[in-house]
Amino acid sequence: MNLLFLIVTLTGLCINCSFALASESQKSPQSGFNFIHHDHPATVALLHEVSEKCPDITRVYNLSETSVEGRDLIVIEMTQEPGKHVAKKPEFKYVGNMHGNEVVGKEMLLRLTVYLCEEYLKGNELVTFLLKHTRVHIMPTMNPDGWQKAYKEFKETGENGWVNGRYNANGTDLNRNFPDLDKIVFENEKSDPSRNNHLMTLQKAFDQFPDLQPETRAVMRWLSEIGFVLSANLHGGDLVANYPYDTGPPHQMGDYSATPDDATFIELAKSYSFFHGKMSDASHKLCDLNSKFKDGITNGDAWYPVGRGMQDYNYLETNCFEITLELGCKKFPPASELKGYWEDNVWALLNYMLQTHIGIKGIVSSTSGTPTADAVIQVTELSTDKVINHDILSLSDGDYYRLLRDGAYKVTASAEGYHPVTKCVTVKNQNYVGARQLMTVKELDFVLTPATEARPEGADDAVHCQLLSWAASQGRGKAGEATKEEDGIEAIRQEEHEFLEDLLKYLNHHDRWEALRPKMSLSHLSRVLYGELSNLGNDQRDKLLAVVLQHIKEKV
């Protein structure tokens, strides 16, 4: 992207004010949402109100079990054609309030349901894209009993202790209550690396872990019934996006514990932290002296080990990639502060949902046209020729979804009783808040021939794979040597980077970007700038336009 094109793109957004989103004051001043602490009856009532207002895109349902004290574990589904899985439409979820006294996530998710409904009715381009192409499930509270206990203390004393209400009514930490699949995968890495996904059937888990709580069992059944692709669970007590693994092998606990998809998880975590109002800002006030996180992200085990956690269970038992979001230092802030939390999180919540549409997706079927369920999708990075040792499985409709960062990949689909098929693909992800055009991911379908028949010629895309592999391995030529053309491109990028920094400085005279900006890529700077632009009033936009036009005159 050359500098002039970038300037025109950004100023075009500003002139037309045709943002995919706008600030709260601009877009939804009449919203009926009240920033209060919603008890369980109010939570249930609000979700039903949203469903009544937007009946064409919503469905409210409960999980298979109630909480210990009998409260429903309620979920709202938001999508076009709610109530059914649609092949090639990925499933996404947000889960809040797993720890009952960490309440910000719950209120953010309730606000998000209202926002999605209202903005869909207004024809918001981004929201329409999300709900047309994604099946979104939002569970505001996984631990309503713990919330009630925490709220009782908050109401009586005006504050909440660090742990009071954290656990469920049986005194169990739900984020230490899932089956321990990390232990299994670390053992498999030594003996049988191919056993790297879907490590324990539901019934075996129920039999082997009798301490599973009703809330945990209900979520596990939920995960087994719906083929989630991406997820986040929302917590409080710090300000960071945390990604797997949450624990490591026994002799290495407390070290960085990387999943086979570590690079993709880092991108996912940044997709939240860089769009949050403060999370990636190195100058924000720390929650404690030990909680400084580069770019606002952390590997779970490197921060502190968590055994039997929910995010690792998602990754190792299902196709779902999950991260954990810590939304602030205060676990139970006063209601008067909740609007500020929403303004910090709204961009990030929406941007993270867009990441459901990165990588590839497709249908695996047989030559007879029958969808092939449980086909294994294995991916190799062509730049390194290394297998990403985490396979996923196709769903009952034969559809699969493989989250991947940008790059060139070899993808093999295989199923028992069929010849495997290999194809190669280049992934270029383009979806983020502020993107000029939102797109679903590249589709890569596979047709498998029964093993009883001859293996067809061309089952492997050998020539294409060789070309992509060669291109991916070239990098920048000989070790560290850049061509004159690459030097020129780098100079242009540096110029664009400096210009974006100047725009941010003009928009925000505070020091919040000083430490962060030099570490941010062009795309990240563009996205942050987009958020700043959308908060401008008309006078500010006119002044900015004058600055940009002057810059264009100087450059042309």
Side-chain angles (χ1 to χ4, degrees), residues 24 26 69 143 182 211 214 226 235 237 264 277 341 360 398 424 435 447 542:
E24 280 299 286
Q26 292 172 316
E69 294 180 343
N143 187 2
D182 296 86
D211 65 336
I226 297 177
H235 289 247
T264 298
Y341 280 97
I360 58 174
C424 286
V447 178
D542 290 342

Side-chain angles (χ1 to χ4, degrees), residues 188-243:
N188 290 350
E189 287 176 358
K190 301 175 186 176
S191 58
D192 185 6
S194 65
R195 294 182 57 222
N196 58 36
N197 67 94
H198 295 76
L199 297 179
M200 184 176 289
T201 65
L202 199 61
Q203 191 55 56
K204 183 177 180 180
F206 288 168
D207 293 341
Q208 192 166 322
F209 293 90
D211 65 336
L212 295 176
Q213 297 298 296
E215 297 92 343
T216 309
R217 291 194 303 265
V219 167
M220 289 170 63
R221 288 193 190 94
W222 190 35
L223 301 185
S224 71
E225 293 166 358
I226 297 177
F228 291 110
V229 175
L230 183 62
S231 172
N233 69 86
L234 281 56
H235 289 247
D238 218 311
L239 188 62
V240 68
N242 172 90
Y243 57 92

Side-chain angles (χ1 to χ4, degrees), residues 202-378:
L202 199 61
Q203 191 55 56
K204 183 177 180 180
F206 288 168
D207 293 341
Q208 192 166 322
F209 293 90
D211 65 336
L212 295 176
Q213 297 298 296
E215 297 92 343
T216 309
R217 291 194 303 265
V219 167
M220 289 170 63
R221 288 193 190 94
W222 190 35
L223 301 185
S224 71
E225 293 166 358
I226 297 177
F228 291 110
V229 175
L230 183 62
S231 172
N233 69 86
L234 281 56
H235 289 247
D238 218 311
L239 188 62
V240 68
N242 172 90
Y243 57 92
Y245 287 127
D246 253 341
T247 188
H251 61 288
Q252 296 175 346
M253 288 178 64
D255 296 335
Y256 193 110
S257 186
T259 70
D261 287 286
D262 189 58
T264 298
F265 269 117
I266 289 172
E267 291 299 311
L268 289 171
K270 286 182 177 179
S271 76
Y272 198 94
S273 70
F274 276 100
F275 281 81
H276 186 277
K278 301 182 180 71
M279 193 177 286
S280 63
D281 186 348
S283 65
H284 79 75
K285 184 177 179 181
L286 302 181
C287 296
D288 63 62
L289 296 178
N290 298 316
S291 64
K292 189 171 184 178
F293 305 104
K294 184 178 183 298
D295 294 332
I297 68 172
T298 185
N299 171 260
D301 189 39
W303 185 19
Y304 65 91
V306 172
R308 297 183 64 180
M310 185 165 71
Q311 74 174 8
D312 286 11
Y313 179 83
N314 270 267
Y315 181 66
L316 294 174
E317 178 51 33
T318 78
N319 292 333
C320 187
F321 286 40
E322 179 168 282
I323 66 172
T324 300
L325 300 170
E326 301 279 349
L327 299 186
C329 306
K330 296 181 181 179
K331 293 189 174 187
F332 209 127
S336 60
E337 297 180 9
L338 292 175
K339 188 174 187 293
Y341 280 97
W342 170 251
E343 291 169 350
D344 279 343
N345 282 280
V346 55
W347 305 100
L349 286 166
L350 294 164
N351 192 66
Y352 187 72
M353 293 167 71
L354 279 174
Q355 306 316 300
T356 316
H357 301 279
I358 66 171
I360 58 174
K361 67 180 179 182
I363 299 286
V364 183
S365 60
S366 68
T367 50
S368 65
T370 304
T372 304
D374 295 326
V376 177
I377 307 297
Q378 185 183 75

